[in-house]
Coordinates of all heavy atoms in Angstrom, one line a residue:
M1 N -51.9 11.0 10.3 CA -50.6 11.3 9.7 C -49.7 10.0 9.7 O -49.6 9.3 10.7 CB -49.8 12.3 10.6 CG -48.5 12.7 10.0 SD -47.9 14.2 11.0 CE -46.2 13.8 11.1
A2 N -49.1 9.7 8.6 CA -48.4 8.4 8.4 C -47.0 8.6 9.2 O -46.4 9.6 9.2 CB -48.2 8.2 6.9
T3 N -46.6 7.4 9.6 CA -45.2 7.5 10.2 C -44.2 7.4 9.2 O -44.4 6.9 8.1 CB -45.0 6.2 11.2 OG1 -45.3 5.0 10.4 CG2 -46.1 6.3 12.4
Q4 N -43.1 8.1 9.5 CA -42.1 8.2 8.6 C -41.1 6.9 8.5 O -40.8 6.4 9.6 CB -41.2 9.4 8.9 CG -40.1 9.7 7.8 CD -39.5 11.1 8.2 OE1 -39.4 11.5 9.3 NE2 -39.1 11.8 7.1
K5 N -40.8 6.4 7.4 CA -40.0 5.2 7.3 C -38.6 5.6 7.6 O -38.2 6.6 7.1 CB -40.1 4.5 5.9 CG -41.5 3.8 5.6 CD -41.3 3.0 4.4 CE -42.5 2.2 4.3 NZ -42.4 1.2 3.1
L6 N -37.8 4.7 8.2 CA -36.5 5.0 8.7 C -35.5 4.0 8.2 O -35.9 2.9 7.7 CB -36.4 5.1 10.2 CG -37.3 6.1 10.9 CD1 -37.2 5.9 12.5 CD2 -37.0 7.5 10.4
L7 N -34.2 4.4 8.1 CA -33.1 3.5 7.8 C -32.3 3.2 9.1 O -32.2 4.1 10.0 CB -32.1 4.2 6.8 CG -32.6 4.6 5.4 CD1 -31.5 5.5 4.8 CD2 -32.7 3.3 4.7
K8 N -31.8 2.0 9.2 CA -30.8 1.6 10.2 C -29.5 2.0 9.7 O -29.1 1.3 8.7 CB -31.0 0.1 10.6 CG -29.9 -0.3 11.6 CD -30.1 0.2 12.9 CE -29.2 -0.4 13.9 NZ -28.6 0.4 14.8
L9 N -28.8 2.9 10.2 CA -27.4 3.3 9.8 C -26.4 2.9 10.8 O -26.5 3.2 12.0 CB -27.4 4.8 9.6 CG -26.1 5.4 9.2 CD1 -25.5 4.9 7.8 CD2 -26.2 6.9 9.1
T10 N -25.3 2.2 10.2 CA -24.2 1.9 11.1 C -23.0 2.5 10.3 O -22.8 2.1 9.1 CB -24.0 0.4 11.3 OG1 -25.2 0.0 11.9 CG2 -22.7 0.1 12.1
I11 N -22.2 3.4 10.9 CA -20.9 3.8 10.4 C -19.8 3.3 11.3 O -19.9 3.6 12.5 CB -20.9 5.3 10.3 CG1 -22.0 5.9 9.5 CG2 -19.5 5.8 9.7 CD1 -22.1 7.4 9.4
S12 N -18.8 2.6 10.7 CA -17.8 2.0 11.5 C -16.4 2.2 11.0 O -16.2 2.4 9.8 CB -18.0 0.5 11.7 OG -19.2 0.2 12.4
K13 N -15.4 2.3 11.8 CA -14.0 2.3 11.5 C -13.4 1.1 12.0 O -14.1 0.3 12.9 CB -13.3 3.6 12.1 CG -13.7 4.9 11.5 CD -13.0 6.0 12.0 CE -13.3 7.3 11.3 NZ -12.5 8.5 11.8
V14 N -12.1 0.9 11.8 CA -11.5 -0.3 12.3 C -11.5 -0.4 13.8 O -11.7 -1.5 14.4 CB -10.0 -0.4 11.8 CG1 -9.3 -1.5 12.4 CG2 -10.0 -0.4 10.2
N15 N -11.4 0.7 14.5 CA -11.3 0.7 15.9 C -12.7 0.7 16.6 O -12.8 0.9 17.8 CB -10.4 1.8 16.4 CG -10.9 3.3 16.0 OD1 -11.8 3.3 15.1 ND2 -10.4 4.2 16.5
G16 N -13.8 0.7 15.8 CA -15.1 0.5 16.4 C -16.2 1.5 15.8 O -15.8 2.1 14.8
P17 N -17.4 1.4 16.2 CA -18.5 2.1 15.6 C -18.4 3.6 15.8 O -17.8 4.1 16.9 CB -19.7 1.6 16.3 CG -19.3 1.0 17.6 CD -17.8 0.5 17.3
V18 N -18.8 4.4 14.9 CA -18.8 5.8 14.9 C -20.3 6.3 15.1 O -20.5 7.3 15.8 CB -18.3 6.4 13.5 CG1 -18.4 7.9 13.5 CG2 -16.8 5.9 13.3
F19 N -21.2 5.6 14.5 CA -22.6 5.9 14.6 C -23.4 4.7 14.4 O -23.1 3.9 13.5 CB -23.0 6.9 13.5 CG -24.4 7.4 13.6 CD1 -24.7 8.6 14.3 CD2 -25.4 6.8 12.9 CE1 -26.1 9.0 14.4 CE2 -26.7 7.3 12.9 CZ -27.0 8.4 13.7
D20 N -24.5 4.6 15.1 CA -25.4 3.4 15.1 C -26.8 3.8 15.6 O -27.1 3.8 16.8 CB -24.7 2.2 15.9 CG -25.5 0.9 15.6 OD1 -26.2 0.8 14.5 OD2 -25.5 0.1 16.6
D21 N -27.7 4.1 14.7 CA -29.0 4.5 15.1 C -29.9 4.5 13.8 O -29.5 4.3 12.7 CB -29.0 5.9 15.7 CG -30.1 6.2 16.6 OD1 -31.1 5.3 16.7 OD2 -30.1 7.2 17.4
E22 N -31.2 4.8 14.0 CA -32.2 4.9 12.9 C -32.1 6.3 12.5 O -32.0 7.3 13.2 CB -33.6 4.5 13.4 CG -33.7 3.0 13.6 CD -35.2 2.7 13.8 OE1 -35.9 3.4 14.5 OE2 -35.6 1.6 13.3
V23 N -32.2 6.6 11.1 CA -32.2 7.9 10.5 C -33.2 8.1 9.4 O -33.7 7.0 8.9 CB -30.8 8.2 9.9 CG1 -29.7 8.2 11.0 CG2 -30.5 7.3 8.8
V24 N -33.5 9.3 9.1 CA -34.4 9.5 7.9 C -33.7 9.3 6.6 O -34.2 8.8 5.7 CB -35.0 10.9 8.1 CG1 -35.9 11.3 6.9 CG2 -35.8 11.1 9.3
S25 N -32.5 9.9 6.5 CA -31.7 9.7 5.2 C -30.1 9.9 5.6 O -29.8 10.3 6.6 CB -32.1 10.9 4.3 OG -31.7 12.1 4.8
V26 N -29.4 9.4 4.6 CA -27.9 9.7 4.7 C -27.5 10.0 3.2 O -27.9 9.4 2.3 CB -27.3 8.5 5.2 CG1 -27.5 7.2 4.4 CG2 -25.7 8.7 5.4
T27 N -26.6 11.0 3.2 CA -26.1 11.5 2.0 C -24.5 11.2 2.0 O -23.8 11.5 2.9 CB -26.3 13.0 1.7 OG1 -27.7 13.2 1.7 CG2 -25.7 13.4 0.4
V28 N -24.1 10.5 0.9 CA -22.7 10.1 0.9 C -22.0 10.4 -0.4 O -22.7 10.6 -1.4 CB -22.6 8.5 1.1 CG1 -23.1 8.1 2.4 CG2 -23.3 7.8 0.0
P29 N -20.7 10.5 -0.4 CA -20.0 10.8 -1.7 C -19.6 9.5 -2.4 O -18.6 8.9 -2.2 CB -18.7 11.5 -1.2 CG -18.5 10.9 0.2 CD -19.8 10.6 0.7
G30 N -20.6 9.0 -3.2 CA -20.4 7.7 -3.9 C -19.4 7.8 -5.0 O -19.0 8.9 -5.4
S31 N -18.9 6.7 -5.5 CA -17.9 6.7 -6.5 C -18.3 7.4 -7.8 O -17.5 7.9 -8.6 CB -17.4 5.3 -6.8 OG -18.6 4.5 -7.3
E32 N -19.6 7.4 -8.0 CA -20.2 8.0 -9.3 C -20.8 9.4 -9.0 O -21.5 10.0 -9.8 CB -21.3 7.1 -9.9 CG -20.7 5.8 -10.4 CD -19.6 5.9 -11.5 OE1 -19.8 6.7 -12.4 OE2 -18.6 5.2 -11.4
G33 N -20.7 9.9 -7.8 CA -21.3 11.2 -7.3 C -22.0 11.1 -6.1 O -22.2 10.0 -5.5
E34 N -22.5 12.2 -5.6 CA -23.2 12.3 -4.3 C -24.5 11.5 -4.4 O -25.2 11.7 -5.4 CB -23.4 13.7 -3.9 CG -24.0 13.8 -2.5 CD -24.2 15.3 -2.1 OE1 -23.2 15.8 -1.5 OE2 -25.1 16.0 -2.5
M35 N -24.9 10.8 -3.4 CA -26.2 10.1 -3.4 C -26.8 10.2 -2.0 O -26.1 10.1 -1.1 CB -26.1 8.7 -3.9 CG -25.3 7.8 -3.1 SD -25.3 6.2 -3.9 CE -23.6 5.6 -3.5
T36 N -28.2 10.4 -2.0 CA -29.0 10.4 -0.8 C -29.8 9.1 -0.7 O -30.5 8.8 -1.7 CB -29.9 11.7 -0.8 OG1 -29.0 12.8 -0.8 CG2 -30.7 11.7 0.5
L37 N -29.7 8.4 0.4 CA -30.4 7.2 0.6 C -31.5 7.4 1.5 O -31.4 8.0 2.6 CB -29.4 6.2 1.1 CG -28.1 5.9 0.3 CD1 -27.1 5.2 1.1 CD2 -28.4 5.3 -1.0
L38 N -32.7 6.9 1.2 CA -33.9 7.0 2.0 C -34.4 5.5 2.2 O -33.9 4.6 1.6 CB -35.0 7.8 1.2 CG -34.7 9.2 0.8 CD1 -35.7 9.8 -0.2 CD2 -34.6 10.0 2.0
A39 N -35.4 5.4 3.0 CA -36.0 4.0 3.3 C -36.5 3.5 2.0 O -36.9 4.2 1.1 CB -37.2 4.2 4.2
D40 N -36.4 2.1 1.9 CA -36.8 1.4 0.7 C -36.0 1.6 -0.5 O -36.4 1.3 -1.7 CB -38.3 1.7 0.3 CG -39.2 1.3 1.4 OD1 -38.9 0.2 2.2 OD2 -40.3 1.9 1.6
H41 N -34.7 2.1 -0.3 CA -33.8 2.1 -1.4 C -33.4 0.8 -1.9 O -33.3 -0.2 -1.2 CB -32.5 2.9 -0.9 CG -31.6 3.4 -2.1 ND1 -30.8 2.5 -2.7 CD2 -31.5 4.7 -2.6 CE1 -30.2 3.3 -3.7 NE2 -30.5 4.5 -3.6
A42 N -33.1 0.7 -3.2 CA -32.8 -0.6 -3.8 C -31.4 -1.0 -3.2 O -30.6 -0.1 -2.8 CB -32.6 -0.4 -5.3
P43 N -31.2 -2.3 -3.1 CA -29.8 -2.8 -2.6 C -28.7 -2.2 -3.5 O -28.9 -2.1 -4.7 CB -30.0 -4.3 -2.7 CG -31.4 -4.5 -2.7 CD -32.1 -3.4 -3.4
I44 N -27.6 -1.8 -2.8 CA -26.5 -1.3 -3.7 C -25.2 -1.5 -2.8 O -25.3 -1.5 -1.5 CB -26.8 0.3 -3.9 CG1 -25.7 0.8 -4.8 CG2 -26.9 1.0 -2.7 CD1 -25.9 2.2 -5.3
V45 N -24.1 -1.6 -3.4 CA -22.8 -1.6 -2.9 C -22.0 -0.6 -3.7 O -22.0 -0.6 -4.9 CB -22.1 -3.0 -2.9 CG1 -20.7 -3.0 -2.5 CG2 -22.9 -4.0 -2.2
S46 N -21.3 0.3 -2.9 CA -20.6 1.4 -3.6 C -19.3 1.6 -2.8 O -19.2 1.6 -1.7 CB -21.4 2.6 -3.7 OG -20.7 3.7 -4.3
V47 N -18.3 2.1 -3.6 CA -17.1 2.6 -3.0 C -17.4 4.1 -2.8 O -18.0 4.8 -3.6 CB -15.9 2.5 -4.0 CG1 -14.6 3.2 -3.5 CG2 -15.6 1.0 -4.2
L48 N -16.9 4.6 -1.6 CA -17.0 6.0 -1.3 C -15.7 6.8 -1.7 O -14.6 6.3 -1.5 CB -17.2 6.2 0.1 CG -18.6 5.5 0.7 CD1 -18.7 5.9 2.2 CD2 -19.8 6.0 -0.1
K49 N -15.9 8.0 -2.2 CA -14.7 8.8 -2.5 C -14.6 9.9 -1.4 O -15.5 10.0 -0.5 CB -14.8 9.4 -3.9 CG -16.0 10.3 -4.0 CD -16.0 10.8 -5.5 CE -17.1 11.8 -5.6 NZ -17.2 12.4 -7.0
T50 N -13.6 10.8 -1.5 CA -13.4 11.8 -0.6 C -14.7 12.8 -0.6 O -15.2 13.2 -1.6 CB -12.2 12.6 -0.8 OG1 -11.1 11.8 -0.8 CG2 -12.0 13.8 0.2
G51 N -15.2 13.1 0.6 CA -16.4 14.0 0.7 C -17.0 13.9 2.1 O -16.5 13.2 3.0
L52 N -18.1 14.5 2.2 CA -18.9 14.5 3.5 C -20.0 13.5 3.6 O -20.6 13.2 2.6 CB -19.6 15.9 3.7 CG -18.7 17.1 4.1 CD1 -19.6 18.3 4.1 CD2 -18.2 16.9 5.4
I53 N -20.1 12.9 4.8 CA -21.3 12.1 5.0 C -22.2 12.9 5.8 O -21.9 13.5 6.9 CB -21.0 10.8 5.8 CG1 -20.1 9.9 4.9 CG2 -22.2 10.0 6.2 CD1 -19.6 8.6 5.6
T54 N -23.5 13.1 5.4 CA -24.5 13.9 6.1 C -25.6 13.0 6.5 O -26.2 12.4 5.5 CB -24.9 15.1 5.3 OG1 -23.8 15.9 4.9 CG2 -25.8 16.0 6.1
V55 N -26.1 13.1 7.7 CA -27.2 12.3 8.2 C -28.4 13.2 8.6 O -28.1 14.2 9.4 CB -26.7 11.3 9.3 CG1 -27.9 10.6 9.9 CG2 -25.6 10.4 8.8
R56 N -29.5 12.9 8.2 CA -30.7 13.6 8.7 C -31.3 12.7 9.8 O -31.8 11.6 9.5 CB -31.7 13.9 7.6 CG -32.8 14.9 8.1 CD -33.6 15.6 7.0 NE -34.2 14.7 6.1 CZ -35.5 14.5 6.0 NH1 -36.3 15.2 6.8 NH2 -36.0 13.7 5.1
L57 N -31.3 13.2 11.0 CA -31.8 12.4 12.1 C -33.3 12.4 12.3 O -34.0 13.3 11.6 CB -31.2 13.0 13.4 CG -29.6 13.0 13.4 CD1 -29.1 13.7 14.6 CD2 -29.1 11.5 13.4
V58 N -33.9 11.6 13.1 CA -35.3 11.5 13.3 C -35.9 12.8 13.8 O -37.0 13.1 13.4 CB -35.7 10.3 14.2 CG1 -37.1 10.2 14.6 CG2 -35.2 9.0 13.7
D59 N -35.2 13.5 14.6 CA -35.7 14.8 15.1 C -35.6 16.0 14.1 O -36.0 17.1 14.4 CB -35.0 15.2 16.4 CG -33.6 15.5 16.3 OD1 -33.0 15.5 15.1 OD2 -32.9 15.7 17.3
G60 N -35.2 15.7 12.8 CA -35.1 16.7 11.9 C -33.8 17.4 11.7 O -33.5 18.1 10.8
T61 N -32.8 17.2 12.7 CA -31.6 17.8 12.7 C -30.6 17.1 11.7 O -30.9 15.9 11.4 CB -30.9 18.0 14.1 OG1 -30.7 16.7 14.6 CG2 -31.8 18.8 15.0
K62 N -29.5 17.8 11.3 CA -28.5 17.1 10.5 C -27.3 16.9 11.3 O -26.9 17.8 12.1 CB -28.2 18.0 9.3 CG -29.4 17.9 8.3 CD -29.1 18.6 6.9 CE -30.2 18.6 6.1 NZ -29.9 19.3 4.8
Q63 N -26.6 15.8 11.0 CA -25.3 15.6 11.6 C -24.3 15.2 10.5 O -24.6 14.5 9.7 CB -25.4 14.4 12.6 CG -24.1 14.1 13.3 CD -24.2 13.1 14.4 OE1 -25.3 12.7 14.8 NE2 -23.1 12.7 15.0
E64 N -23.1 16.0 10.5 CA -22.1 15.7 9.5 C -20.9 14.9 10.2 O -20.6 15.1 11.4 CB -21.6 17.0 8.9 CG -22.6 17.6 8.0 CD -22.1 18.9 7.4 OE1 -21.0 19.4 7.8 OE2 -22.7 19.4 6.4
F65 N -20.3 14.0 9.4 CA -19.2 13.3 9.9 C -17.9 13.6 9.3 O -17.0 12.9 9.2 CB -19.5 11.7 9.6 CG -20.6 11.2 10.6 CD1 -21.9 11.3 10.1 CD2 -20.3 10.8 11.8 CE1 -22.9 10.9 11.0 CE2 -21.3 10.4 12.7 CZ -22.6 10.4 12.2
G66 N -17.8 14.9 9.0 CA -16.5 15.5 8.4 C -16.2 14.9 7.1 O -16.9 14.1 6.4
V67 N -15.0 15.2 6.6 CA -14.5 14.7 5.3 C -14.0 13.3 5.5 O -13.1 13.1 6.3 CB -13.4 15.7 4.7 CG1 -12.9 15.1 3.4 CG2 -14.0 17.0 4.5
V68 N -14.6 12.4 4.7 CA -14.0 11.0 4.7 C -13.1 10.8 3.5 O -13.4 11.4 2.5 CB -15.2 9.9 4.7 CG1 -16.0 10.0 6.0 CG2 -16.0 10.0 3.5
E69 N -12.1 10.1 3.7 CA -11.2 9.9 2.6 C -11.6 8.8 1.6 O -11.4 8.9 0.4 CB -9.8 9.6 3.1 CG -9.3 10.6 4.1 CD -8.3 11.5 3.5 OE1 -7.7 11.2 2.5 OE2 -8.2 12.6 4.0
S70 N -12.1 7.7 2.2 CA -12.6 6.6 1.4 C -13.5 5.6 2.2 O -13.5 5.8 3.4 CB -11.3 5.8 0.8 OG -10.6 5.2 1.9
G71 N -14.0 4.6 1.6 CA -14.8 3.7 2.4 C -15.7 2.9 1.4 O -15.6 3.0 0.2
T72 N -16.5 2.0 2.1 CA -17.4 1.2 1.2 C -18.8 1.4 1.9 O -19.0 1.6 3.1 CB -17.1 -0.2 1.2 OG1 -17.0 -0.7 2.6 CG2 -15.8 -0.4 0.5
L73 N -19.8 1.2 1.2 CA -21.2 1.4 1.5 C -22.1 0.2 1.0 O -21.8 -0.2 -0.1 CB -21.8 2.7 0.8 CG -23.3 2.8 0.8 CD1 -23.8 3.4 2.1 CD2 -23.7 3.6 -0.4
E74 N -22.9 -0.3 1.9 CA -23.8 -1.4 1.5 C -25.2 -1.0 2.0 O -25.4 -0.6 3.1 CB -23.5 -2.7 2.1 CG -24.4 -3.8 1.6 CD -24.1 -5.1 2.3 OE1 -23.4 -5.2 3.2 OE2 -24.8 -6.2 1.8
V75 N -26.1 -1.1 1.0 CA -27.6 -0.9 1.4 C -28.4 -2.1 1.2 O -28.2 -2.7 0.0 CB -28.2 0.3 0.6 CG1 -29.7 0.5 1.0 CG2 -27.4 1.6 0.7
S76 N -29.2 -2.6 2.1 CA -29.9 -3.8 2.0 C -31.0 -3.8 3.0 O -30.7 -3.7 4.2 CB -29.1 -5.0 2.1 OG -29.8 -6.2 2.0
Y77 N -32.3 -4.0 2.6 CA -33.4 -4.1 3.5 C -33.5 -3.0 4.6 O -33.6 -3.2 5.7 CB -33.4 -5.5 4.2 CG -33.4 -6.6 3.3 CD1 -32.3 -7.4 3.0 CD2 -34.6 -6.9 2.5 CE1 -32.3 -8.4 2.2 CE2 -34.6 -8.0 1.7 CZ -33.4 -8.8 1.5 OH -33.5 -9.8 0.7
N78 N -33.4 -1.7 4.1 CA -33.5 -0.6 5.0 C -32.4 -0.5 6.0 O -32.6 0.1 7.0 CB -34.9 -0.4 5.6 CG -35.9 0.0 4.7 OD1 -35.7 0.7 3.7 ND2 -37.2 -0.4 4.9
T79 N -31.3 -1.1 5.7 CA -30.0 -1.0 6.6 C -29.0 -0.5 5.7 O -28.7 -1.1 4.6 CB -29.7 -2.5 7.1 OG1 -30.8 -3.0 7.9 CG2 -28.5 -2.3 8.0
V80 N -28.3 0.5 6.2 CA -27.2 1.0 5.5 C -25.9 0.8 6.4 O -25.9 1.2 7.5 CB -27.3 2.6 5.3 CG1 -26.0 3.2 4.6 CG2 -28.5 2.9 4.4
T81 N -24.9 0.2 5.8 CA -23.6 0.0 6.6 C -22.5 0.7 5.8 O -22.3 0.4 4.6 CB -23.3 -1.5 6.6 OG1 -24.5 -2.2 7.3 CG2 -22.1 -1.8 7.5
I82 N -21.8 1.5 6.5 CA -20.6 2.3 5.9 C -19.4 1.9 6.7 O -19.3 2.0 7.9 CB -20.9 3.8 6.0 CG1 -22.1 4.2 5.2 CG2 -19.6 4.6 5.5 CD1 -22.5 5.7 5.4
L83 N -18.4 1.4 6.0 CA -17.1 1.1 6.6 C -16.1 2.1 6.1 O -15.9 2.2 4.9 CB -16.7 -0.3 6.3 CG -17.7 -1.4 6.6 CD1 -17.2 -2.8 6.0 CD2 -17.9 -1.5 8.1
L84 N -15.5 2.8 7.1 CA -14.5 3.8 6.7 C -13.1 3.3 7.0 O -12.8 2.5 7.9 CB -14.7 5.1 7.5 CG -16.1 5.7 7.4 CD1 -16.3 6.8 8.4 CD2 -16.3 6.1 6.0

C-alpha cells in the first residue's frame, strides 16, 4: 500500500499560530469560490473570503476552524500557509 502524500499546514493570526501540522487536505473559501488543496497542488496565492476552513487530518477526521472573515493563502512545495 502506498503512503499518502501530505501537506504541511500552518494557520496563523496576528497573536500567534492557530494550527501547525501535516494534513491530507484543506478546504478554504477562496476569492473565486471554495477550493480543496491536496499534496502536489500547483503554487497559488489567494485572498480568502468569509467562510469555513475545513482540514482533513492524517487520522481521517475533519477539523473545522469556524467562520473566517478574511485572510490570505499561499501554497508552495506542499506547504500551505494561511494568515487570518
Side-chain angles (χ1 to χ4, degrees):
M1 184 169 142
T3 58
Q4 189 169 30
K5 288 190 173 187
L6 302 175
L7 295 167
K8 172 70 172 138
L9 173 63
T10 302
I11 302 174
S12 294
K13 290 186 176 182
V14 174
N15 58 349
V18 174
F19 183 89
D20 189 25
D21 205 352
E22 289 188 320
V23 301
V24 175
S25 68
V26 58
T27 302
V28 297
S31 60
E32 298 296 318
E34 184 177 271
M35 62 181 140
T36 299
L37 307 166
L38 302 168
D40 297 330
H41 194 285
I44 186 173
V45 174
S46 178
V47 174
L48 300 181
K49 63 180 184 179
T50 302
L52 285 175
I53 295 176
T54 304
V55 175
R56 189 160 58 108
L57 304 171
V58 176
D59 66 5
T61 61
K62 289 186 180 179
Q63 183 174 350
E64 290 184 346
F65 288 91
V67 175
V68 296
E69 304 263 335
S70 64
T72 58
L73 161 88
E74 179 184 12
V75 180
S76 181
Y77 302 106
N78 286 330
T79 299
V80 178
T81 304
I82 299 173
L83 303 174
L84 302 175

